[in-house]
Amino acid sequence: MPGDSLRAFIHALPKVELHVHLVGSAGVDAVLALARRHPSAGVPTDAVELREFFTFRDFPHFLKVYWAVQSMLTDRHDIESLVLGLTDSLRSQNVRYAEVTVTPYNHMVDGMPADELLAGLASGRAEAARRGVDLAWCFDIPGEKGLAAGRETLAFALTERPDGLVSFGLGGPEVSVPRAQFAPFFAAALEAGLHSVPHAGETSGPATVWSAVRDLSAERIGHGTSSADDPALLAHLAEHRIPLEVCPTSNLRTQQVATIAGHPVGRMLSAGVIVTLNTDDPPMFDATLEGEYLAVAEAFGLGAENLRQLARNAVDASFLPAAAKSYLLTEIIATPTPASPA
Ligand code: HPA
Ligand code: ZN
């Protein structure tokens, strides 16, 4: 299929994004405006320098940059403008629904009052719905901050329980941050009806993914890249229908993989694992959801029906109510396949 018709098909598919961080979705112009208001954060105020600033040596370097951007967010207006910037980007790509990761503990450590965060999320989500994009929230533990962060994130999630909160996550570095220590917080979140979606296997080996599955009862895995190194794990994920939130361009930009063609997503698909495609931190990685579909199609020779299946996977793996899932699935199934070249 020629590139242009594949691109048009990818655009026409109603899409769902399951792994995107709110801070990491700050658009370049928004970051530049914040940087001008907060010169001490050390974030460039010039677009060319910002692109350079968003060139990551490795995952720890990426996290430092991410935290610098986060430190500039101070009130509900900042949060709402991030939500609406993300909304407009999603809408322009025909993304209908997204589960967005928010890290309340980090915002509060950086001095944002809880009420400001909650007000910005609520007003942003309401306006997103008016613009045709449904948003849900995942509140995640910043793993590097340890048990206190786990305790506080759980308490915040269960006490505030804002509209749209569907899941409980775990992010940050994986090396030297065992998943199992957070087991009691995940058990309590699950008990309260939230879903378990920890990051695992992004920056460490398959043992971390096993731990996320066994100790945190993961219902989806954030990234799960290194699962591909363990055939028994791939078989387990396939058999138990635990989807992976794969973020190919993110892994490329943080130097976890050298090329998209070298990304293990091909092996995940061959093993029958439920793969979903996601952007993680789109402007920081110069990524779009449409771009992820196209890059994977080109690297692995996928056609329209494979891409349709990936779009369906994201709906199935989402925490949308059944009626909303079937509405989106019907539209995905009805999206016309582009004509093959003569
Ligand atoms: N992994 C872990 N923590 C993060 C990420 C990620 O991809 N993005 C923002 N925080
Ligand atoms: Zn992530």
Side-chain angles (χ1 to χ4, degrees):
M1 188 183 301
D4 280 353
S5 61
L6 194 60
R7 249 179 249 271
F9 177 69
I10 290 168
H11 178 74
L13 278 174
K15 288 171 292 297
V16 158
E17 163 106 76
L18 299 176
H19 190 123
V20 58
H21 297 259
L22 182 62
V23 170
S25 68
V28 167
D29 289 344
V31 174
L32 290 171
L34 284 164
R36 289 184 191 115
R37 275 166 45 209
H38 300 277
S40 64
V43 175
T45 52
D46 168 88
V48 175
E49 286 175 31
L50 187 63
R51 189 36 65 203
E52 182 62 25
F53 189 67
F54 285 167
T55 304
F56 308 111
R57 290 186 296 279
D58 51 24
F59 185 74
H61 177 217
F62 158 71
L63 279 181
K64 277 197 191 138
V65 168
Y66 184 95
W67 291 330
V69 173
Q70 170 191 279
S71 75
M72 301 189 296
L73 304 166
T74 54
D75 61 20
R76 66 183 70 198
H77 305 293
D78 292 337
I79 295 295
E80 190 192 67
S81 69
L82 286 194
V83 174
L84 295 183
L86 173 61
T87 297
D88 289 342
S89 169
L90 295 172
R91 188 173 56 163
S92 74
Q93 300 175 70
N94 198 18
V95 179
R96 306 292 183 77
Y97 169 74
E99 292 176 12
V100 182
T101 297
V102 178
T103 314
Y105 188 80
N106 279 349
H107 291 296
M108 284 167 223
V109 167
D110 280 344
M112 187 184 300
D115 287 352
E116 292 294 306
L117 174 62
L118 292 165
L121 293 177
S123 60
R125 180 168 178 268
E127 177 59 22
R130 282 191 284 274
R131 296 183 189 184
V133 180
D134 288 323
L135 298 179
W137 310 122
C138 168
F139 282 178
D140 83 332
I141 303 170
E144 72 283 358
K145 305 227 170 60
L147 295 179
R151 221 173 6 254
E152 296 289 323
T153 304
L154 177 71
F156 187 74
L158 299 193
T159 312
E160 300 300 341
R161 200 77 191 249
D163 285 349
L165 180 65
V166 292
S167 59
F168 195 71
L170 170 59
E174 295 175 22
V175 176
S176 308
V177 184
R179 307 291 89 174
Q181 67 184 308
F182 300 107
F185 310 121
F186 275 80
L190 282 160
E191 178 68 28
L194 296 177
H195 295 282
S196 168
V197 290
H199 286 66
E202 177 188 18
T203 55
S204 65
T208 307
V209 181
W210 279 119
S211 175
V213 170
R214 291 180 171 146
D215 301 317
L216 308 182
S217 305
E219 296 169 78
R220 292 194 316 246
I221 301 283
H223 294 272
T225 321
S226 64
S227 308
D229 299 336
D230 181 343
L233 175 56
L234 286 183
H236 183 91
L237 296 171
E239 183 189 342
H240 294 273
R241 303 186 59 76
I242 301 172
L244 299 182
E245 301 159 4
V246 177
C247 309
T249 302
S250 163
N251 300 146
L252 184 69
R253 302 285 189 243
T254 62
Q255 317 283 341
Q256 302 301 304
V257 298
T259 60
I260 299 288
H263 193 286
V265 65
R267 279 182 281 151
M268 295 164 176
L269 289 166
S270 305
V273 174
I274 301 172
V275 167
T276 67
L277 294 181
N278 304 276
T279 58
D280 211 7
D281 302 283
M284 289 186 184
F285 296 141
D286 198 13
T288 62
L289 192 59
E290 292 183 334
E292 301 294 329
Y293 277 73
L294 190 63
V296 167
E298 286 175 345
F300 297 96
L302 304 187
E305 294 318 313
N306 305 114
L307 297 177
R308 194 193 305 276
Q309 185 60 49
L310 288 170
R312 291 178 65 161
N313 288 353
V315 174
D316 285 331
S318 76
F319 302 126
L320 276 167
K325 283 189 182 184
S326 65
Y327 181 86
L328 278 175
L329 288 171
T330 304
E331 269 199 71
I332 291 171
I333 291 164
T335 306
T337 306
S340 305

